[in-house]
C-alpha cells in the first residue's frame, strides 16, 4: 500500500509492479506521479469518488476527541487468573435492566478473558489517578507482568477482580451479547453489582489528554494516529524528550510531579531509575526532540 494525497490528505490506493508513487488533486483533476512523471486522469466522476468518500479523506479526526468519555479499569478472569486494562469506551445502554457496553481490542489479553468467562468489572477512575497507575494497566501487557501485584482490589460476586485503587465507583457485569466491529468486540452486559466508593471527581478522557498529558494506546477503540514533528528548540528553551514506546513527551517546564520530578528539572538531571510515567519505559528509551 502507498499513500498519495488528496488536497493535502492521504488517499490509500493498492500498489503493484507499476504502482503510483504519489497523487494530488488540483480542482477537479487527479494527478498521479508515476516514476517521477505526472499523469493526469482528467475529470473524476462521482461513481469513483463519491462526496462522502472525499469528505472522509479530508475530515479532521481530532473532532472525535470532543466525544465524552471517562477512564476505567476493565478487568476479568480466566480460571484463577486475573487481568485488566484501561478503557474509555464504557457506556450505559438501558436502565431496566441496568445494562452497559464496552469496546475491547481483540488482541488484548482482557478480551480473551472476557470471551471465556463472560463477566467483567469496570472501575471508574478519579481525576487524581497517577499516570504510572494508568500506564500499568494501559501500556503494559498481562502476558508479561501481573498487573494486580501491589494493587488494592477485591473479588466480585462473579469472581472478577474489582480495582479499588484510585476508583470512585465500580460496576460488575455479565455479558449478554457480543458484536464484532472489526478490530474490537463490543460486549453488552447486564450489571449484577455496583457501588460508589468516593465522591471525588471522575477522570474524563479530555482531562487525561489536556491536563495529565496522557497518551492513548494503539489498541484503544479511540486511538487516532498523530505525527509528532520534531522541531528545533530555541536556544533559550530547554530541550524536551519523547518516549519512543508510547509518545509521551517530557517537558522540563512541567516536570513529572507524580514521580517526584519538580518543574524546571532538565532531562539530564532526572535520576537514572526514573521511568516513563505513561508506559513504564526506562530513561534510555527517550530521544531528544530537535
Amino acid at each position: 500500500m502507498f499513500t498519495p494525497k488528496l488536497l493535502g490528505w492521504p488517499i490509500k490506493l493498492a500498489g503493484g509492479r507499476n504502482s503510483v508513487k504519489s497523487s494530488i488533486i488540483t480542482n477537479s483533476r487527479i494527478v498521479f506521479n508515476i516514476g517521477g512523471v505526472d499523469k493526469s486522469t482528467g475529470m473524476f466522476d462521482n461513481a469513483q469518488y463519491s462526496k462522502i468518500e472525499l469528505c472522509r479523506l479530508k475530515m479532521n479526526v481530532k473532532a472525535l476527541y470532543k466525544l465524552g468519555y471517562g477512564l476505567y479499569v476493565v478487568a476479568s478472569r480466566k480460571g484463577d487468573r486475573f487481568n485488566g486494562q484501561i478503557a474509555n469506551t464504557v457506556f450505559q445502554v438501558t436502565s431496566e435492566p441496568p445494562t452497559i457496553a464496552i469496546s475491547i481490542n481483540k488482541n488484548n489479553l482482557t478480551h480473551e478473558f472476557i470471551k471465556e468467562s463472560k463477566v467483567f468489572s469496570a472501575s471508574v477512575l478519579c481525576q487524581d489517578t497517577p499516570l504510572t497507575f494508568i500506564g500499568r494497566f494501559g501500556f503494559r501487557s498481562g502476558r508479561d507482568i501481573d498487573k494486580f501485584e501491589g494493587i488494592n482490589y477485591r473479588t466480585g460476586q462473579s469472581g472478577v477482580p474489582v480495582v479499588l485503587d484510585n476508583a470512585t465507583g465500580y460496576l460488575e457485569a455479565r455479558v449478554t451479547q457480543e458484536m464484532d466491529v472489526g478490530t474490537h468486540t463490543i460486549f453488552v452486559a447486564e450489571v449484577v453489582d455496583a457501588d460508589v466508593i468516593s465522591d471525588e471527581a471522575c477522570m474524563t478522557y479530555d482531562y487525561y489528554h489536556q491536563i495529565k498529558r496522557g497518551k492513548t494506546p494503539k489498541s484503544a477503540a479511540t486511538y487516532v494516529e498523530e505525527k509528532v514533528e520534531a522541531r528545533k528548540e530555541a536556544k533559550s528553551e530547554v530541550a524536551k524528550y519523547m518516549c519512543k514506546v508510547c509518545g509521551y513527551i517530557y517537558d522540563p517546564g512541567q516536570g513529572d510531579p507524580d514521580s517526584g520530578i519538580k518543574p524546571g528539572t532538565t532531562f539530564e538531571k532526572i535520576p537514572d531509575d526514573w521511568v516513563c510515567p505513561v508506559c513504564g519505559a526506562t530513561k534510555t528509551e527517550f530521544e531528544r526532540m530537535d
Side-chain angles (χ1 to χ4, degrees):
M1 298 290 289
F2 59 89
T3 309
K5 290 185 177 180
L6 167 62
L7 298 179
W9 294 85
I11 307 175
K12 293 185 177 179
L13 302 171
R17 179 173 297 179
N18 298 314
S19 62
V20 180
K21 302 302 181 183
S22 64
S23 170
I24 59 171
I25 286 186
T26 56
N27 296 326
S28 300
R29 190 175 300 275
I30 303 177
V31 181
F32 295 97
N33 183 280
I34 305 176
V37 179
D38 287 345
K39 303 289 185 179
S40 175
T41 64
M43 303 296 288
F44 61 90
D45 55 40
N46 289 336
Q48 187 174 9
Y49 297 100
S50 70
K51 290 183 178 179
I52 293 178
E53 289 172 332
L54 292 174
C55 183
R56 287 185 61 189
L57 290 169
K58 58 183 180 180
M59 68 181 179
N60 184 357
V61 293
K62 287 187 177 181
L64 293 169
Y65 289 157
K66 299 300 182 181
L67 294 175
Y69 301 97
L71 216 60
Y72 316 87
V73 175
V74 171
S76 187
R77 62 175 172 81
K78 182 178 181 180
D80 59 355
R81 295 177 60 198
F82 292 160
N83 195 63
Q85 67 164 76
I86 293 295
N88 63 359
T89 314
V90 178
F91 56 96
Q92 185 173 350
V93 179
T94 63
S95 59
E96 189 56 44
T99 303
I100 61 175
I102 60 174
S103 181
I104 304 294
N105 190 292
K106 293 177 181 178
N107 293 325
N108 290 359
L109 188 61
T110 303
H111 182 278
E112 177 184 321
F113 282 23
I114 296 174
K115 286 283 286 186
E116 178 164 314
S117 67
K118 304 297 182 184
V119 288
F120 65 85
S121 67
S123 297
V124 185
L125 296 182
C126 71
Q127 211 171 70
D128 293 330
T129 302
L131 283 178
T132 49
F133 181 89
I134 297 172
R136 180 181 185 85
F137 282 95
F139 286 89
R140 308 289 296 277
S141 173
R143 297 181 177 93
D144 303 323
I145 66 167
D146 177 4
K147 294 188 179 183
F148 285 87
E149 183 179 355
I151 299 297
N152 183 27
Y153 71 93
R154 72 173 186 81
T155 302
Q157 299 296 324
S158 59
V160 298
V162 177
V163 173
L164 303 177
D165 282 341
N166 304 301
T168 64
Y170 69 86
L171 305 168
E172 190 178 343
R174 175 179 57 84
V175 175
T176 56
Q177 297 181 55
E178 298 178 18
M179 182 183 298
D180 188 324
V181 287
T183 59
H184 289 63
T185 297
I186 294 178
F187 295 101
V188 180
E190 183 178 349
V191 177
V192 298
D193 193 20
D195 201 1
V196 175
I197 298 175
S198 77
D199 293 325
E200 294 181 70
C202 300
M203 175 87 77
T204 66
Y205 203 48
D206 183 65
Y207 186 91
Y208 170 67
H209 277 288
Q210 301 299 324
I211 307 302
K212 304 287 280 187
R213 297 182 295 130
K215 299 296 181 180
T216 303
K218 290 185 178 181
S219 60
T222 54
Y223 174 75
V224 177
E225 184 175 6
E226 293 187 68
K227 291 184 178 180
V228 180
E229 296 184 2
R231 64 181 179 85
K232 292 186 177 180
E233 304 284 344
K235 291 183 179 179
S236 59
E237 294 181 345
V238 181
K240 299 176 183 179
Y241 283 75
M242 183 177 69
C243 176
K244 293 183 289 185
V245 177
C246 70
Y248 168 81
I249 297 174
Y250 176 77
D251 182 351
Q254 297 179 326
D256 179 16
D258 286 343
S259 301
I261 308 300
K262 297 180 179 180
T265 305
T266 62
F267 187 79
E268 292 77 11
K269 292 184 179 180
I270 296 176
D272 291 337
D273 60 355
W274 175 84
V275 297
C276 174
V278 174
C279 70
T282 63
K283 188 177 176 182
T284 58
E285 292 295 325
F286 279 71
E287 61 183 2
R288 182 187 173 102
M289 297 179 66
D290 53 23

